[in-house]
């Protein structure tokens, strides 16, 4: 035996450690020997209750750290795991999914528990590879990290030979080099924009009378927070964000005019519609942020800054593109540009109208009605959220409420949203806490979303992940209530069967899992409950009983 020979299991564990991985999220039975090796090198193994939950944890871990989130499942779990990658794909988070698959002699002959994996991963990964023999592992592992983290991050998948990957982990390698540690984190490098693109963009911007910035998740990933604040303050340009970009600037900052798109306050869409130039920063101009491509107004001038040239102009013709790191690009534009004297008045008008809208919400935010108003719940969270907290929001109404009436008042706060998958937020909150153990993590979910992954309460307890889970408990799918009624019209029948649940006390459910549970039915009890939950160094569920009838803010459409 050659002395420097190591097993696949040992190589995998050492490589992940070298690449900065601190946690892996897995469903048994995958890479058991590697998991033993991982313990030896100090990687925390998070055993979960479903593959999707593991993928969501890895996703939020990646979003919180910039590092690659690792999720793993054996052959029969591969489809479930792939389903969990949809949010990471849509949000553009670097996640590596590792699965096992049966050895060659079982293929194409009706093997138990296995379907072809490649098609399952095709829609949700940038790269998929079969690791057939141990010799393939070093290059594929390094390439998987490269693909996951470089330029636009996204999920990748390695399918390892053996039901639980054992053909790879049990084989040996002689003296393999570990992967390049720089590939363990996004951004791998900061691309400097071409000066000619900066000049064109600056010249175009200087001609605008009513410019706005629309800042997306790409700018958050690039940590362009300071650059966004500097350019908007220096030039008096109002800032709106996509839902994924929320929190890049404190939402109470005087130049912040809210989230634009389908999950928005009406006034924000109106203001972006009135703008004569929109600067998209790390924002992919999809249907959500553009209110189905109706906002901005057709023909509005657009500048788009993105690390990936393939995104520039994907949705609009005549876009002036700047390809490069969003923070560097904004800095370069700001240096090139004189402030246009018109912009003060426009910024004042835009921010005054946004503040007026916020004021109009005040009666709801301070409401004492029972069942509790969700605006009041959001208000109380805004007031108690610690300065360095991570707020993890579910989708649907949870995204609209937290995107419009829940404030992130401090630059050190982070907002993570589901990119559409109902139920994402609770496992994601655990992944975020794993990635940022020193920061308070608060999850905001509806009861419909929470139901998906209730067993992960046990994971939170077992792994000692002290997150605060706030369940906006209205005993149903609030967002659909009106739409279902409209479809019914005069048709006799029971619309409630389509979106109402029984009344469940989730505080009691939490206690059954050994997790602290607090039930809140009165508005005045919300704040003490949150304060208590945040003060305990353990997972806590705060079950807030709310009314299903009130509607969340509706977006304005032209
Ligand atoms: C995987 C998945 N299935 C279905 C949906 C559609 N959907 C979006 S929001 C929602 C209702 C959510 O209800 P709940 O979490 O209780 O929040 P509420 O609307 O009551 O505030 C549904 C069914 C989705 N986004 N994702």
């Amino acid at each position: 035996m050659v002395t420097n020979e190591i097993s696949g299991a040992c190589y995998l564990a050492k490589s992940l450690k070298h690449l900065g991985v601190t946690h892996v999220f897995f469903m048994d039975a995958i890479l058991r020997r590697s998991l033993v090796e991982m313990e030896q090198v100090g990687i925390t193994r998070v055993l979960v209750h479903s593959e999707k939950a593991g993928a969501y944890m890895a996703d939020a871990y990646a979003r919180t750290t910039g590092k690659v989130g690792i999720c793993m499942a054996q052959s029969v779990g591969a489809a479930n795991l792939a389903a969990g990658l949809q949010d990471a794909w849509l949000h553009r988070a670097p996640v590596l999914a590792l699965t096992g698959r049966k050895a060659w002699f079982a293929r194409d002959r009706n093997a138990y528990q296995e379907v072809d994996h490649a098609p399952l991963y095709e829609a949700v990964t940038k790269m998929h590879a079969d690791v057939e023999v141990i010799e393939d592992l070093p290059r594929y592992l390094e390439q998987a990290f490269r693909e996951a983290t470089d330029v636009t991050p996204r999920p990748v998948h390695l399918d390892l030979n053996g039901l639980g990957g054992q053909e790879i982990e049990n084989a040996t390698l002689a003296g393999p080099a570990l992967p390049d540690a720089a590939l363990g984190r996004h951004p791998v490098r900061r691309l400097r924009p071409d000066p000619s693109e900066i000049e064109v963009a600056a010249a175009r911007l200087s001609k605008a009378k009513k410019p706005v910035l629309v800042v997306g998740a790409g700018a958050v990933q690039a940590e362009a927070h300071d650059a966004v604040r500097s350019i908007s303050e220096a030039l008096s340009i109002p800032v709106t964000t996509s839902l994924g970009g929320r929190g890049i600037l404190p939402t109470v900052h005087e130049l912040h005019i809210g989230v634009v798109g389908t999950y928005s306050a009406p006034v924000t869409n109106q203001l972006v519609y009135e703008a004569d130039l929109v600067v998209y920063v790390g924002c992919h101009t999809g249907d959500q942020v553009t209110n189905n491509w109706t906002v901005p107004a057709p023909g509005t001038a657009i500048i788009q800054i993105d690390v990936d040239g393939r995104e520039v102009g994907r949705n609009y013709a005549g876009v002036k593109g700047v390809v490069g790191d969003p923070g560097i690009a904004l800095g370069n534009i700001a240096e090139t540009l004189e402030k246009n004297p018109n912009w003060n008045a426009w910024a004042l008008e835009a921010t005054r109208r946004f503040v007026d809208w916020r004021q109009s919400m005040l009666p709801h935010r301070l409401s004492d009605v029972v069942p509790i108003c969700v605006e009041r719940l959001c208000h109380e969270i805004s007031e108690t959220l610690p300065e360095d907290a991570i707020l993890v929001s579910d989708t649907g109404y949870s995204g609209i409420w937290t995107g419009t009436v829940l404030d992130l008042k401090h630059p050190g706060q982070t907002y993570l949203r589901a990119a559409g998958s109902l139920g994402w937020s609770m496992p994601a909150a655990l992944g975020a806490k794993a990635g940022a153990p020193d920061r308070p993590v608060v999850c905001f979910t509806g009861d419909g979303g929470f139901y998906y992954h209730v067993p992960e309460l046990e994971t939170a307890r077992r792994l000692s992940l002290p997150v605060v889970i706030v369940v906006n408990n209205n005993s149903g799918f609030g967002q659909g209530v009106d739409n279902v009624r409209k479809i019914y019209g005069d048709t006799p029948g029971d619309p409630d069967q389509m979106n109402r649940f029984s009344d469940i006390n989730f505080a009691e459910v939490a206690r059954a899992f050994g997790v602290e549970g607090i039930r809140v039915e009165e508005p005045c009890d919300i704040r003490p409950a949150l304060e208590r939950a945040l003060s305990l160094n353990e997972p806590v569920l705060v079950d807030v009983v709310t009314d299903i009838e009130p509607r969340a803010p509706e977006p304005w459409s032209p």
Side-chain angles (χ1 to χ4, degrees), residues 430-495:
L430 303 191
K433 187 72 194 176
D438 298 332
R439 297 179 63 186
V441 175
V442 176
C443 168
F444 184 101
T445 176
D447 51 328
F450 180 66
Y451 271 116
Y452 272 78
H453 298 292
V454 174
E456 302 307 334
L457 286 171
E458 188 281 326
T459 310
R461 180 183 162 199
R462 176 169 32 92
L463 271 291
S464 298
L465 292 168
V467 296
V468 176
I469 302 157
V470 178
V471 182
N472 166 24
N473 185 359
N474 57 17
S475 302
F477 283 158
Q479 187 170 22
V481 163
D482 267 6
N483 292 338
V484 169
R485 283 189 194 134
K486 270 186 210 132
I487 292 167
Y488 260 88
D490 295 334
T491 312
D494 184 4

Side-chain angles (χ1 to χ4, degrees), residues 125-377:
T125 56
K126 251 169 119 178
M127 171 206 170
H128 152 91
D130 292 332
V131 183
E132 199 63 42
V133 291
I134 184 77
E135 288 73 20
D136 286 341
L137 183 63
R139 70 185 170 94
Y140 272 143
L141 186 64
E142 188 172 75
Q143 184 63 15
F145 270 78
R146 184 175 292 113
E147 294 258 11
T149 53
D150 206 6
V151 195
T152 299
R154 272 191 149 153
V156 293
H157 173 226
L158 294 182
D159 212 8
L160 308 176
N161 196 356
L163 182 86
Q166 63 274 20
E167 302 294 328
I168 300 301
E169 62 174 0
N170 289 341
T172 54
L173 279 168
L178 295 178
D180 178 358
L183 302 175
R185 177 181 233 119
H186 172 82
V188 175
R189 64 183 65 79
R190 295 198 181 265
L191 185 61
R192 297 198 165 272
D194 190 310
S196 66
E197 292 190 340
I198 296 290
E199 256 174 53
V200 171
R204 185 63 195 84
L205 183 54
S206 70
K207 281 197 243 148
K209 294 195 173 63
K210 295 178 166 188
V212 294
L213 299 184
V214 177
V215 184
V220 177
Q221 275 176 337
E223 295 170 332
H225 301 61
D226 290 345
V228 168
R229 180 196 279 262
S230 304
I231 193 168
S232 69
E233 286 177 355
L235 303 178
S236 287
I237 302 180
V239 177
T240 90
T241 70
S242 66
L243 197 65
R246 188 160 178 80
I248 191 142
L249 196 64
T251 61
V252 293
H253 186 282
E254 56 181 4
L255 285 160
H256 192 286
I257 56 168
V259 169
V260 63
T262 50
Y263 284 17
S264 65
V267 63
T268 308
N269 280 6
Q270 283 164 353
L271 288 167
V272 175
Y273 192 81
E274 289 169 31
D276 68 344
L277 174 82
V278 176
V279 185
Y280 286 104
V281 187
C283 179
H284 293 120
T285 64
D287 57 345
Q288 189 185 39
V289 69
T290 60
N291 196 41
N292 297 308
W293 300 286
T294 62
V295 174
T300 305
I302 290 175
I303 295 170
Q304 191 172 354
I305 301 169
D306 204 285
V307 283
D308 187 349
R310 290 170 309 174
E311 291 301 329
V312 172
R314 183 185 283 279
N315 283 302
Y316 297 103
V319 167
K320 306 284 182 223
V322 178
V323 177
D325 177 83
I328 298 177
L330 286 177
N332 290 170
I333 291 173
E335 284 161 15
T336 316
L337 204 63
E338 295 279 306
K339 182 171 167 177
N340 181 324
N342 288 320
W343 293 347
N344 268 345
W346 159 241
L348 276 176
E349 184 196 334
T351 52
R352 181 191 50 74
R353 282 164 59 188
F354 184 66
V355 167
D356 285 351
W357 178 81
R358 281 173 58 87
Q359 284 295 116
S360 75
M361 298 303 285
L362 208 55
H364 300 288
R365 295 169 70 110
L366 301 179
S367 165
D368 280 327
V369 301
V370 177
I372 291 167
C373 262
V374 188
E375 291 92 336
R376 175 71 190 264
L377 172 59

Side-chain angles (χ1 to χ4, degrees), residues 395-398 401 420-422 446-449 452 472 474 476-479 501:
T395 190
Y397 262 18
S398 294
W401 294 119
S421 305
L422 189 63
D447 51 328
Y452 272 78
N472 166 24
N474 57 17
F477 283 158
Q479 187 170 22
F501 311 129

